[in-house]
Amino acid sequence: MTAQQHDRVAFPAARVGTRTWRWFLLGGLPVLVLGVLLGPAGQEAVYALFAAAAAVAVVAGLRTHRPARPLPWWLLAGGMACGAVSNLAWSVTFVLDGPPSGLSVVNAVYYGMYLLVAAGLAVLAHGRGSALAGMAEAGIVACTAAVLAWVFLIDPVLETRDGVAAGFALVYPVLDLIMLTMAVRLAVAAASLTRTHVLILCATGALVVADIGYVLWMAAGGSWSGPGGSAACWMLFYLLVGAAALHPSMATGRGAGSIGGYLRATGLSTALKALIVLVGPAATAYAFWSGLHRADLDAIDIALPLGAAAVTGVLLVLRLSHTSTLVNRRATDLQAALDDQAALQEQMTHLALHDALTGLPNRLHLDRLIQAALRTGPGGCLLIVDLDGFQHVNDSFGHPTGDALLTEAARRLRDVIGRAGTLARLGGDEFAVLLHSGDALAADTHARGVLRTLRQPVEVDGQRLHVTASIGLRDLASAGDSAEVLSDADLALYAAKAAGKDRVVAYDVTLRESQLKRIAVVDRLRTAIGTDAIQVYYQPIVSFSSGRFTAVEALVRWVPPGEDPIGPDAFIPAAEDSGLIVSLGEQVLRQACRDAAVWYRRYGTMLTVNVSPRQLSEADFAARVMRALHDADLPAAALILEITEGVLVGAGAQAEQSIAHLSELRRFGVQVAVDDFGTGYSSLAYLRDLPIDILKIDRSFMPDEATGDPAQQVALVRTIVDLAHTLRLTAVAEGVETMEQTAVLQTLGCDKGQGFHYGRPAPAARTSDVLAEGVVAAAPH
């Protein structure tokens, strides 16, 4: 439990609503009217009641609203308590002994209320706005008020009353002057006036008005209790203090603009100061005339107004000097702020046009440089350089190592390009070089220099990293704009990647034509997915030991209406690039499971389906596979998923998710085969540790005099078969096309084979016939 919670539990009675201040004020007004009508003793009792209520209201406001600076409110609460005690004492005195005579401890307590309220106003104004400005203006008002008080209040009282009575009455103007000074400081110095401030200032005004009326009453020979108007204002003073403490703004500090700010904004500040300056001389003239008229002219009647007027003038000079200093300081601060803003804007412009990691120009800056180069005339080329294998480095060693590699690559590119061009980083592991002059041949020379320098290993934190680069080249001579240059260079880079990486490819129009064809293929394929145009063909897999077809591999074909079937090589890459492979792969999986369910029940024939890395990256891939098996009523043990070696290699999140999917499916009985083994990242580590059941030997290893040395090929196949058996994996040979290859594979101990020698891919109906003809024994039960 926090201290604040503890207080709220310990003092439940202190909770007040946001409108309690209004009820406090409105509820006190009828009592105020009644109090004015009472006699002196009754009025003193009502004063005590109001003062006590105000003290309780201040404490309640403190407990409820929790102001950040409670000291001024405790001072006000103390002042209200002094008022309650002194007024109660006077009320009792009236009842027992009649009107009090002379000064007593009760008077001292009552005067203490003024001092505590003035101290509360001073602390409340402290730290709000300019303290010097507030004090200067408060002093100006105090001097003016002192002159007026002397001329119209104090001097008349001294003329009409003598001794204790005069001193007793004249204490109030002095105390009012102190309180009025602090109130003016609060009004002027506050940056904004809250409702609480306004109520406090009104309370101060009510007390000053009450005291002025009382002093004038005393000057006219009135009684000790004072006039009814003063009685009403004294009661109103206590009500307003209590309402101010109960208002929520006593803690928030949010309000309207200050009085000083309003006066300056409306131009009344200058007029008011001019009026204040004239008060001193006018009061002095009136005092001189009045003294001559009464034939009783004292030096003090002239000296005091003139002295106050002189002090007022000095304070005005100080105030104007302070204002001038503030203006100059603000002008200096404004100029410094403008300078800082200009520097910041320059820094922001630099950041907007440069890469944060390498400090090189970014894509936006490069775009502007290309536009400028195209305007200046022919010549120049653009190279887009993409690091091969960078993602593998990032996944395996982490982003800090990847950033270090990028920084080193930027340094090497800068060295090899020199002043011949401008180097930029487009993002990720992609850089660009804008060569200022030369043709495509010269650019090709620079590009090959880039390839050579990036082939050199990089040492990062004790790791020896090897990366290469693929480069797309675009001559600026025939380009229309920067967007065309960048797009064409990207196409050339894509072609370099597709051609095997670590090379440079120059743009030509056939690349654009190929891209347009790919776009057309993607558009047509998007429409075909989900229709009968996507068909599944099956190629049988034979067991060398039994001679039976033990499985079929599902192969997708696209058969547009009225056209010949389109092979996967013509559209699978486009599906991979566009992301359509996910929906296409799921359609093939579900159709293949439905077809294979019949074959498995009749012949025990298993189903092999290819899965792309993009499918495995889906968060719900394993669930999709299980739904397809369930909907087709095909056991999980009848399904084999074929993946490429690259899916299981690496330390990134994608590889981890792929392994998690395959591991989960294997727990249900699904088997995993590695397709085209021997052409990728072949590693004993992943064969031993990862979820694999079958190795499919790539067709390029099949013994064939037309494609290589048969003896060497046989040795390679034997090595792979022995490795598979050592790891308790099944070896399946792909691309078996002759009886001789079958004989060699049987001799080497290979388990199964697949290829044109056993059957070409065919639709489901034809596959059903092939399986029926090729079965020797009944399906297992």
Side-chain angles (χ1 to χ4, degrees), residues 437-722:
S437 61
D439 54 13
L441 182 60
D444 184 77
T445 301
H446 282 291
R448 296 192 183 282
V450 168
L451 293 178
R452 284 193 299 271
T453 191
L454 292 179
R455 288 190 191 115
Q456 303 301 316
V458 179
E459 294 283 346
V460 177
D461 296 332
Q463 300 288 342
R464 191 174 179 85
L465 307 177
H466 295 268
V467 294
T468 57
S470 299
I471 301 178
L473 186 154
R474 175 58 160 99
D475 192 342
L476 302 185
S478 59
D481 55 28
S482 60
E484 179 184 337
V485 172
L486 288 166
S487 177
D488 291 347
D490 275 331
L491 284 177
L493 174 64
Y494 181 88
K497 291 281 189 183
K501 305 178 181 178
D502 192 22
R503 65 194 64 211
V504 56
V505 172
Y507 170 80
D508 62 55
V509 70
T510 60
L511 295 178
R512 179 65 63 188
E513 293 172 354
S514 298
Q515 184 199 37
L516 294 176
K517 289 179 181 178
R518 281 198 304 274
I519 294 174
V521 167
V522 169
D523 289 341
R524 292 186 63 197
L525 182 60
R526 182 175 284 107
T527 304
I529 291 176
T531 70
D532 294 338
I534 300 300
Q535 298 183 10
V536 183
Y537 282 35
Y538 302 92
Q539 187 176 34
I541 300 174
V542 67
S543 170
F544 290 133
S545 61
S546 66
R548 293 191 311 158
F549 295 136
T550 60
V552 291
E553 180 178 356
L555 302 169
V556 64
R557 295 292 185 269
W558 181 9
V559 187
E563 299 182 29
D564 293 333
I566 301 175
D569 292 344
F571 65 89
I572 290 297
E576 291 275 7
D577 292 341
S578 63
L580 293 176
I581 194 65
V582 175
S583 54
L584 176 63
E586 184 168 5
Q587 181 177 350
V588 171
L589 173 66
R590 299 186 71 85
Q591 180 62 52
C593 287
R594 287 193 293 269
D595 293 339
V598 177
W599 303 329
Y600 185 75
R601 286 194 296 269
R602 290 180 181 175
Y603 316 120
T605 305
M606 300 180 69
L607 172 66
T608 296
V609 179
N610 289 279
V611 177
S612 76
R614 181 66 177 80
Q615 288 176 272
L616 281 167
S617 68
E618 295 292 307
D620 61 344
F621 172 75
R624 292 187 185 188
V625 172
M626 296 307 298
R627 281 198 301 269
L629 290 169
H630 177 269
D631 293 345
D633 195 21
L634 179 67
L639 179 62
I640 301 170
L641 297 180
E642 285 194 16
I643 61 173
T644 59
E645 297 178 63
V647 169
L648 301 176
V649 177
Q654 183 172 338
E656 292 177 1
Q657 186 176 58
S658 299
I659 294 171
H661 284 320
L662 297 175
S663 298
E664 180 181 356
L665 290 170
R666 287 181 82 236
R667 285 195 294 271
F668 288 104
V670 176
Q671 298 186 56
V672 178
V674 176
D675 196 17
D676 301 332
F677 180 77
T679 62
Y681 295 94
S682 304
S683 167
L684 292 176
Y686 84 73
L687 289 179
R688 179 193 62 200
D689 300 330
L690 298 177
I692 301 169
D693 302 284
I694 300 168
L695 289 186
K696 298 192 74 172
I697 305 170
D698 188 68
R699 67 183 65 249
S700 62
F701 296 120
M702 290 303 99
D704 187 350
E705 293 183 356
T707 59
D709 182 358
Q712 186 181 50
Q713 292 169 330
V714 168
L716 290 173
V717 173
R718 177 184 290 110
T719 301
I720 296 174
V721 170
D722 290 344

Side-chain angles (χ1 to χ4, degrees), residues 117-143:
V117 171
L121 292 173
V123 178
L124 200 61
H126 180 69
R128 305 186 62 85
S130 171
L132 179 60
M135 288 301 295
E137 303 214 14
I140 292 170
V141 172
C143 288

Side-chain angles (χ1 to χ4, degrees), residues 192-195 252-257:
S192 63
L193 287 177
T194 65
R195 187 70 62 86
T252 61
R254 294 189 299 269

Side-chain angles (χ1 to χ4, degrees), residues 275-469:
L275 179 62
I276 290 174
V277 169
L278 295 176
V279 167
T284 303
Y286 174 80
F288 183 76
W289 175 84
S290 179
L292 290 178
H293 181 72
R294 297 193 310 267
D296 184 19
L297 182 64
D298 294 331
I300 192 172
D301 293 334
I302 305 301
L304 192 146
L306 287 179
V311 173
T312 300
V314 171
L315 289 175
L316 281 173
V317 171
L318 291 176
R319 183 67 180 92
L320 293 174
S321 174
H322 178 66
T323 301
S324 176
T325 302
L326 284 179
V327 170
N328 293 334
R329 185 181 302 166
R330 288 175 181 175
T332 303
D333 292 343
L334 177 60
Q335 185 60 49
L338 292 174
D339 294 340
D340 291 343
Q341 184 177 3
L344 179 61
Q345 184 173 359
E346 183 178 352
Q347 183 180 4
M348 294 296 292
T349 301
H350 178 84
L351 291 175
L353 296 176
H354 290 79
D355 171 56
L357 176 64
T358 62
L360 296 174
N362 60 13
R363 182 180 289 272
L364 177 61
H365 195 178
L366 177 67
D367 182 77
R368 296 180 180 180
L369 293 174
I370 294 174
Q371 293 179 22
L374 292 173
R375 287 194 299 268
T376 57
C381 289
L382 177 68
L383 307 177
I384 293 186
V385 182
D386 188 88
L387 301 183
D388 304 325
F390 176 76
Q391 189 60 47
H392 176 65
V393 171
N394 240 5
D395 292 340
S396 301
F397 303 103
H399 289 285
T401 299
D403 289 346
L405 176 59
L406 290 173
T407 303
E408 174 61 17
R411 186 192 65 77
R412 293 187 183 187
L413 288 171
R414 194 183 290 111
D415 289 344
V416 75
I417 296 301
R419 297 184 178 181
T422 299
L423 177 64
R425 184 187 176 203
L426 303 184
D429 60 339
E430 196 170 76
F431 296 87
V433 178
L434 179 62
L435 297 171
H436 303 316
S437 61
D439 54 13
L441 182 60
D444 184 77
T445 301
H446 282 291
R448 296 192 183 282
V450 168
L451 293 178
R452 284 193 299 271
T453 191
L454 292 179
R455 288 190 191 115
Q456 303 301 316
V458 179
E459 294 283 346
V460 177
D461 296 332
Q463 300 288 342
R464 191 174 179 85
L465 307 177
H466 295 268
V467 294
T468 57

